[in-house]
Amino acid sequence: MGVTKELVESTLKSKLNPSHLEVVDTSGGCGASFAIEIVSEQFEGKRLLERHRLVNAALVEEMKEIHALSIKKAVTPAQWKQQQETQQSTSAA
Amino acid sequence: SSIRCALTPALKTTLDKVVTSHKVVLFMKGTKDFPQCGFSQTVVQILKSLNVPFESVNILENELLRQGLKDYSSWPTFPQLYIDGEFFGGCDITVEAYKSGELQEQVEKAMCS
């Protein structure tokens, strides 16, 4: 039994209470491989390395079977809001 | 499991030496001239583009080293980048820091120290 996208999502939801979460299965058949975008208040006041450590720690059981994990974004709700607004104003321009 | 105590005191001493004997050390899959994984290749390319002299260690050649390093860094995956004796991050963190200029800053600081 491998690790599913749904399992990664439910683990991250229960441990990091994200306000936004996107898990993409990037395995293409070679084994469990995921890309993650996560927004959580728990990242407040933490450097990127510490944020990634939180995600890794949350997925410690799943990591045993995950072949590759890419954390594309680990931001706070405030940073997320700012990024969304920047994107919108860029695409509108 | 059997790899629970992969980081023996002897291995820890060795790793302390390895990460402090060079300013920049990359533990990776393959070698810097022949990376065997896209994530490792990405970090090699970034370091080469910054013209950083760095030491690469192929973790595929030593299973004990590979397991021990995960405990040593408290980091589950490879590549693992060390700057000035300290764990800096994996591939995603290195890419982000490269884009923001933080990586260049850290590396320059290390080279001058």
Side-chain angles (χ1 to χ4, degrees):
Chain A
M1 276 302 289
V3 176
T4 61
K5 173 179 176 299
E6 287 72 25
L7 179 63
V8 172
E9 281 171 348
S10 70
T11 303
L12 288 175
K13 273 179 191 162
S14 70
K15 294 194 176 163
L16 296 175
N17 191 29
S19 59
H20 169 85
L21 175 67
E22 193 178 324
V23 177
V24 180
D25 185 335
T26 53
S27 70
C30 79
S33 170
F34 302 97
I36 294 173
E37 262 187 31
I38 182 165
V39 182
S40 169
E41 280 179 357
Q42 293 187 34
F43 296 145
E44 206 76 59
K46 294 190 170 65
R47 295 187 55 212
L48 190 58
L49 177 64
E50 297 171 74
R51 294 176 183 190
H52 281 222
R53 281 203 198 282
L54 277 179
V55 176
N56 289 335
L59 292 172
V60 67
E61 282 305 311
E62 289 80 359
M63 283 308 287
K64 291 172 187 165
E65 296 191 42
I66 289 178
H67 169 75
L69 180 71
S70 186
I71 304 170
K72 293 292 177 197
K73 268 199 178 96
V75 297
T76 63
Q79 287 174 320
W80 176 248
K81 192 162 167 268
Q82 200 182 21
Q83 286 177 8
Q84 295 297 96
E85 280 165 7
T86 311
Q87 263 181 16
Q88 271 170 13
S89 65
T90 317
S91 57
Chain B
S1 65
S2 60
I3 56 170
R4 201 71 203 105
C5 304
L7 186 63
T8 61
L11 181 54
K12 186 182 179 303
T13 307
T14 307
L15 288 172
D16 283 340
K17 272 188 201 144
V18 174
V19 300
T20 51
S21 59
H22 307 274
K23 298 284 186 183
V24 180
V25 184
L26 181 65
F27 296 96
M28 59 177 286
K29 294 184 177 177
T31 64
K32 61 174 131 177
D33 295 317
F34 188 52
Q36 287 179 257
C37 159
F39 296 99
S40 288
Q41 183 169 24
T42 298
V43 176
V44 166
Q45 278 173 343
I46 285 175
L47 293 174
K48 283 186 173 171
S49 81
L50 289 174
N51 271 323
V52 187
F54 67 101
E55 188 68 19
S56 71
V57 179
N58 184 359
I59 53 95
L60 292 177
E61 286 180 347
N62 189 329
E63 187 59 23
L64 276 179
L65 174 71
R66 180 179 183 166
Q67 295 305 332
L69 259 170
K70 293 182 183 182
D71 294 338
Y72 185 76
S73 315
S74 307
W75 195 258
T77 53
F78 291 94
Q80 295 186 2
L81 180 64
Y82 275 77
I83 301 176
D84 228 356
E86 266 185 58
F87 180 60
F88 183 80
C91 181
D92 296 324
I93 286 176
T94 306
V95 169
E96 277 303 306
Y98 176 62
K99 286 189 202 156
S100 72
E102 193 202 335
L103 180 63
Q104 181 147 20
E105 217 173 277
Q106 289 286 325
V107 164
E108 281 170 4
K109 216 170 83 187
M111 292 302 161
C112 296
S113 66

